[in-house]
Amino acid sequence: MTPKALGVSYIVRATSASELETGQYSLVATQLPPLPQIGVPATLNRVLTTSDEKVPGNPDTYKQDFRLVNVTPGQTVTVRQESTAIDCFLYLIDAVDGSILDANDDHDEFSTDSQLTFTVEAGREYVIRASSYDAEETGSFTLSTF
């Protein structure tokens, strides 16, 4: 799931693969609930489970997404994911187009925790994605921002 920008209208086009293919069809659109938010500073304790969504492009791992709020342009933000249960993997995602801006597997060579540090850009919205490195891995983790 890619988060969509607030206040932006989207058009959905339904078509067939060939101009000769015609007929009736149904189109259903649903609105997903808003992402949970995380501000700076904050600490959240969560559990990655098999009922969580899978990471796009890496369907063997689960994820939890958080919209980053209450930050200002030029602010340096550090995000850390820590766990004794999973090998942490963090993503920094553009909230508008879903592109991956940064990712980190290990905080340092002796740790399975992950950490990202970035500077907030004007006009950009961010999503923090907490995941694991190993396939099908689940367990508790702490997500902190400072």
Side-chain angles (χ1 to χ4, degrees):
M1 181 218 45
T2 300
K4 301 303 175 200
L6 298 173
V8 175
S9 297
Y10 294 89
I11 297 173
V12 177
R13 178 177 295 161
T15 187
S16 66
S18 168
E19 64 186 54
L20 301 176
E21 294 176 346
T22 61
Q24 294 182 338
Y25 63 91
S26 295
L27 181 63
V28 177
T30 59
Q31 184 172 352
L32 297 171
L35 292 177
Q37 297 179 345
I38 188 167
V40 179
T43 299
L44 302 174
N45 294 305
R46 295 290 192 262
V47 178
L48 205 56
T49 69
T50 56
S51 62
D52 287 321
E53 290 184 34
K54 299 274 185 130
V55 174
N58 190 1
D60 293 332
T61 58
Y62 303 101
K63 70 175 180 77
Q64 291 185 15
D65 289 346
F66 303 88
R67 184 174 287 273
L68 186 64
V69 296
N70 301 327
V71 292
T72 57
Q75 179 179 358
T76 299
V77 175
T78 298
V79 182
R80 184 177 295 152
Q81 182 186 8
E82 299 172 292
S83 177
T84 58
I86 64 173
D87 185 0
C88 300
F89 200 108
L90 271 176
Y91 297 87
L92 178 65
I93 297 175
D94 184 297
V96 175
D97 67 14
S99 62
I100 297 172
L101 303 172
D102 199 359
N104 181 268
D105 173 27
D106 293 322
H107 171 59
D108 60 44
E109 63 183 287
F110 305 106
S111 171
T112 57
D113 299 335
S114 59
Q115 180 172 300
L116 294 171
T117 300
F118 64 98
T119 301
V120 175
E121 296 179 22
R124 181 166 259 169
E125 298 175 47
Y126 298 94
V127 170
I128 305 299
R129 175 168 293 157
S131 184
S132 67
Y133 179 79
D134 294 322
E136 304 295 326
E137 193 170 49
T138 59
S140 62
F141 67 90
T142 300
L143 186 65
S144 302
T145 59
F146 47 97

